[in-house]
Amino acid sequence: MKRGVVCNIPVTEGEITIVKAETAGEIMKHSCEVAMASRSAGAGVLVINTGLSKRRFKEAATGAGIEWSDTRNTDTIVSPGAVPLIIQTSVAGRLSKEMPSIKTICEEANIKIVVVTAWEWTSSSYALKEQLLFGLRQLLDDLDVAVIVYTQSSGDIMVGKYARGGVGKLAMIAYEVTSLEFLRDNMDEVVTDLSAFVERVTSSVVEQLVVNKIKELQPVFVSGVSAIPLKHQRTDERVLALAA
C-alpha cells in the first residue's frame, strides 16, 4: 500500500483522509496549496470545488501561484504543465452524478490525488449522499488514487466510526483523520513526500502528449454528460499510439 504526505496531510493509495477546518476560506486556500505541493512532487492532482464560487476559487488559485487558462468548459481550470493540476467546480449538491466523469479524468490524466473541498456541499439530499459514499468507495476500489475530503464539521470524528454533524458514514470508510488546527500547532515545517505515487517520465515529448490529452478530456466535466473513456492502456502505450 502506497503512503505519502502532502502539506503534512497523510495520504494513502485507495483510501480517504478527512481534514477538519474551521472556515471555507481556510479550506479554499489550503486546498490550493495542496494542489501546488502535489504537482511540485510530481503527482497529478484534481481539486473539486463543491461549495464556493468559481471566481473566488480562481482568485485563491492565483494567490497560491497556480497558473490557469480559460477552457471550453468554464467550470474547469486546467493549469499548464507536464504534471496535471485540474480544478473543477461541481454543481453544488450533486457530486454523486459526476463520479463517472471524475473516474475518467483520473484514469486518463493519471491523477494520483483527489481533493474534495467541502463535504457539506457535495450532496443536497440524504439519497445523493448515500450514492456519493458508494461512488467514492467504488472509485477507490477501481483506481490507485488517494482522496482528501475537507469538512467543517464541529463534531468528533474517529476513523471507522459513524460521525454526527454531517460527516456520517464517511468517517466509517476513512483511513486517516486530521485537522488544519492540529497541523498548524504541531508541525514545525511543511512536509510533502509523494514519491511512492510518482511515475517518472523521462521524455519531454511524452510529457507534452500527456498535456494535450488533458485538454482533450476537458468536456468530460460537463455536468450530466458521461464520457466514453479511451482504451485502458498503460500510459506509455496510449502516448505511443497518439504519437503514431
Side-chain angles (χ1 to χ4, degrees), residues 95-237:
L95 185 58
S96 63
K97 303 299 182 182
E98 299 177 30
M99 292 305 295
S101 295
I102 290 170
K103 180 181 178 182
T104 297
I105 202 68
C106 287
E107 290 176 315
E108 303 301 345
N110 199 24
I111 297 297
K112 297 299 182 183
I113 307 294
V114 176
V115 180
V116 179
T117 62
W119 180 251
E120 289 74 20
W121 285 90
T122 58
S123 309
S124 59
S125 68
Y126 177 81
L128 289 174
K129 183 177 288 188
E130 288 288 291
Q131 291 177 20
L132 178 58
L133 285 165
F134 284 97
L136 277 173
R137 185 65 267 169
Q138 189 65 52
L139 178 72
L140 295 170
D141 288 343
D142 291 345
L143 303 182
D144 294 334
V145 298
V147 176
I148 299 171
V149 179
Y150 289 91
T151 177
Q152 288 180 256
S153 172
S154 58
D156 292 332
I157 303 175
M158 295 179 59
V159 170
K161 183 177 180 180
Y162 183 91
R164 299 189 180 276
V167 175
K169 291 181 181 178
L170 182 68
M172 297 173 68
I173 61 173
Y175 193 77
E176 306 269 6
V177 176
T178 188
S179 71
L180 293 187
E181 182 181 12
F182 173 82
L183 298 177
R184 184 171 55 244
D185 295 344
N186 294 276
M187 300 294 178
D188 295 330
E189 60 179 332
V190 178
V191 176
T192 294
D193 181 2
L194 297 175
S195 55
F197 290 83
V198 176
E199 298 173 6
R200 296 297 178 188
V201 181
T202 57
S203 170
S204 60
V205 174
V206 170
E207 289 178 350
Q208 186 56 52
L209 288 170
V210 171
V211 173
N212 292 340
K213 178 49 60 183
I214 295 170
K215 293 180 180 178
E216 288 180 27
L217 287 165
Q218 290 166 9
V220 307
F221 286 115
V222 179
S223 179
V225 176
S226 296
I228 301 175
L230 303 176
K231 289 183 179 179
H232 292 181
Q233 303 165 307
R234 292 183 305 163
T235 301
D236 55 345
E237 293 174 341

